[in-house]
């Protein structure tokens, strides 16, 4: 099979011939059809991103995707060859312990204890046949009309689904999405509507991207273009939310100041919840008295629970989540360098997808 192999972060990335893997206990081999590409893949490969832990030897990078089960190992009870699946990069060790190790397959180990897990499962999906833990493959029954490229776009939704689930989004609620002009932020807006939000306030700095998002999402979305003044921005968001939101979802990436996150917090009505799923390069100053007096709730969330992919697919099956809202830009597997450059500059409603020819 063909497989991209990364020597190390900052090292050589080359297309190799490898044998098709054999599944061990608890494993599946998936014949990949399409895999979504991270927007930051180019910087990741170059070693320009901090805090990523990768295997000690060369490995196959790549995150989520879709394909067909090729083979299963012992102890795999529900998956079978020929079955169509979506695959997740988020793997959590299944021992019954207080804090099981987590890895993003083909991307990073999340803490030193997870490095042993990563050593056992080093590879991702940028290959024709991916060897994966059975628990990260979700059957995609009832979606035969959805082609593999379009199905791979579900990757964009499963991450914010974890955050909206954590925030206990209820039908009819008003949701503020901060960082709505990013890839996952835009998906969060569309997903909140699919999950029943009555109104979504899309917050960001890029007016053009906000306008495109409103055009795609419809009249239940109100856009607020912010300027970085936490007090003025909070008031503008509150006004757009009709006096305050029940839930705010922060997906700002690599923030250099806390102002937008604080504006989202202060846009909440009494008893509101703020979910943090983005990233920030400076500390977040928590306004202790305001938090207490307003009964606000602050929730951190990393990735999503194991059943999240199945539940996102349920929304697609029900016709509540339109995957066509995200434009897929396709590249064949050998075109990975060009695809990484395209992903780095892709718009908020674009998703670069690799197609596999095996």
């Amino acid at each position: 099979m063909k497989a991209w192999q990364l020597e190390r972060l900052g090292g050589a990335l080359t297309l190799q011939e490898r044998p098709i893997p054999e599944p061990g206990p608890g494993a599946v081999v998936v014949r990949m059809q399409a895999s979504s590409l991270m927007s930051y893949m180019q910087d990741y490969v170059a070693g320009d991103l901090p805090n990523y832990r990768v295997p000690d030897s060369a490995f196959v990078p790549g995150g989520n995707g879709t394909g067909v089960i090729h083979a299963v190992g012992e102890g795999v009870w529900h998956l079978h060859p020929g079955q169509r699946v979506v695959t997740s990069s988020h793997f959590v060790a299944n021992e019954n312990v207080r804090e099981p190790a987590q890895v993003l397959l083909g991307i990073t180990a999340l803490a030193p204890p997870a490095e042993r897990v990563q050593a056992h499962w080093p590879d991702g999906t940028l290959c024709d046949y991916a060897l994966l833990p059975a628990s990260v493959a979700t059957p995609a029954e009832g979606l035969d009309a959805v082609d593999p490229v379009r199905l791979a776009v579900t990757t964009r939704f499963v991450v914010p689904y974890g955050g909206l689930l954590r925030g206990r989004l209820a039908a009819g609620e008003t949701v503020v999405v901060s960082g709505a002009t990013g890839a996952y932020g835009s998906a969060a807006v569309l997903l909140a509507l699919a999950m029943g939000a009555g109104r979504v306030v899309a917050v960001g700095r890029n007016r053009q991207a906000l306008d495109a998002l409103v055009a795609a999402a419809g009249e239940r979305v109100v856009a607020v273009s912010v300027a970085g003044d936490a007090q003025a921005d909070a008031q503008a968001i509150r006004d757009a939310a009709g006096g305050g939101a029940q839930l705010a979802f922060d997906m700002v990436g690599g923030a250099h100041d806390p102002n937008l996150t604080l504006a989202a917090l202060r846009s909440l009505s009494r008893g509101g919840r703020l979910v943090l799923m983005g990233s920030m390069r400076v500390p977040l100053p928590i306004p202790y008295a305001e938090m207490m007096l307003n009964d606000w709730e602050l929730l951190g969330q990393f990735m999503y629970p194991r059943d999240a992919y199945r539940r996102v697919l349920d929304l697609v099956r029900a016709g509540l989540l339109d995957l066509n809202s995200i434009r897929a830009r396709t590249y064949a597997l050998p075109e990975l360098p060009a695809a990484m450059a395209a992903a780095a500059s892709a718009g908020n409603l674009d998703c670069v997808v690799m197609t596999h020819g095996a």
Side-chain angles (χ1 to χ4, degrees):
M1 70 167 184
K2 298 285 188 185
W4 282 98
Q5 182 173 286
L6 183 59
E7 179 185 31
R8 55 181 170 77
L9 295 183
L13 177 66
T14 54
L15 188 59
Q16 305 272 336
E17 289 281 348
R18 279 191 175 193
I20 295 174
E22 295 288 337
V28 297
V29 174
V30 177
R31 176 172 61 82
M32 299 302 301
Q33 295 177 316
S35 53
S36 57
L37 203 62
M38 303 177 298
S39 61
Y40 55 86
M41 187 71 178
Q42 197 169 49
D43 289 339
Y44 170 82
V45 167
D48 292 336
L49 301 177
N51 303 322
Y52 280 82
R53 295 181 173 90
V54 299
D56 292 332
S57 57
F59 67 101
V60 176
N64 299 6
T66 184
V68 175
I69 297 289
H70 171 71
V72 303
E74 292 183 13
V76 178
W77 314 113
H78 299 285
L79 302 175
H80 55 80
Q83 190 173 26
R84 196 179 188 206
V85 294
V86 292
T87 69
S88 169
S89 62
H90 185 220
F91 174 62
V92 182
N94 60 8
E95 288 97 330
N96 188 19
V97 296
R98 188 179 301 276
E99 295 186 17
Q102 301 182 63
V103 298
L104 297 181
L105 301 168
I107 304 172
T108 187
L110 301 182
E115 290 171 358
R116 287 191 299 153
V117 177
Q118 185 185 60
H120 188 80
W121 299 106
D123 294 331
T125 55
L126 289 174
C127 54
D128 290 329
Y129 291 83
L131 175 64
L132 302 168
S135 62
V136 304
T138 300
E141 290 103 341
L143 295 169
D144 293 344
V146 182
D147 66 71
V149 168
R150 186 58 49 194
L151 196 58
V153 171
T154 54
T155 299
R156 186 64 60 82
F157 295 100
V158 71
V159 173
Y161 183 82
L164 294 173
L165 196 66
R166 172 77 162 155
R168 308 187 303 278
L169 171 59
E173 287 189 324
T174 294
V175 180
V176 170
V177 177
S178 179
T181 55
Y184 287 120
S186 291
V189 170
L190 299 168
L191 184 62
L193 296 174
M195 294 172 69
R199 178 187 304 182
V200 180
V201 181
V203 179
R205 291 185 170 92
N206 186 330
R207 186 74 234 186
Q208 184 177 1
L210 285 173
D211 290 343
L213 180 57
V214 171
E219 61 184 12
R220 285 156 61 202
V221 176
V222 181
V224 174
S225 180
V226 294
D229 182 326
Q231 184 173 353
D233 291 341
Q235 188 59 54
I237 298 168
R238 287 184 66 86
D239 291 344
Q246 288 78 49
L247 175 64
F249 180 74
D250 186 275
M251 193 46 105
V252 177
H256 292 279
D257 66 64
N259 290 340
L260 194 52
T261 300
L262 290 174
L265 176 66
R266 290 175 170 133
S267 73
L268 293 172
S269 57
R270 182 177 299 279
R273 297 96 62 197
L274 171 64
V275 177
L276 302 179
M277 276 200 92
S279 59
M280 189 177 295
R281 300 182 184 183
V282 296
L284 176 64
I286 301 298
Y288 190 111
E290 287 180 77
M291 292 286 299
M292 178 189 63
L293 293 172
N294 288 287
D295 302 322
W296 287 334
E297 191 174 350
L298 189 62
L299 301 162
Q301 175 65 30
F302 178 76
M303 300 303 284
Y304 40 84
R306 182 171 293 180
D307 66 347
Y309 237 133
R310 177 174 53 80
R311 296 171 71 173
V312 169
L313 294 184
D314 285 342
L315 292 173
V316 177
R317 292 185 190 97
L320 297 171
L321 181 61
D322 182 7
L323 299 179
N324 293 313
S325 299
I326 305 293
R327 296 180 294 267
R329 299 170 59 184
T330 59
Y331 290 79
L333 185 63
E335 300 175 308
L336 179 59
M340 292 192 302
S345 60
N348 58 314
L349 294 175
D350 292 324
C351 182
V352 172
V353 177
M354 309 303 301
T355 58
H356 301 246

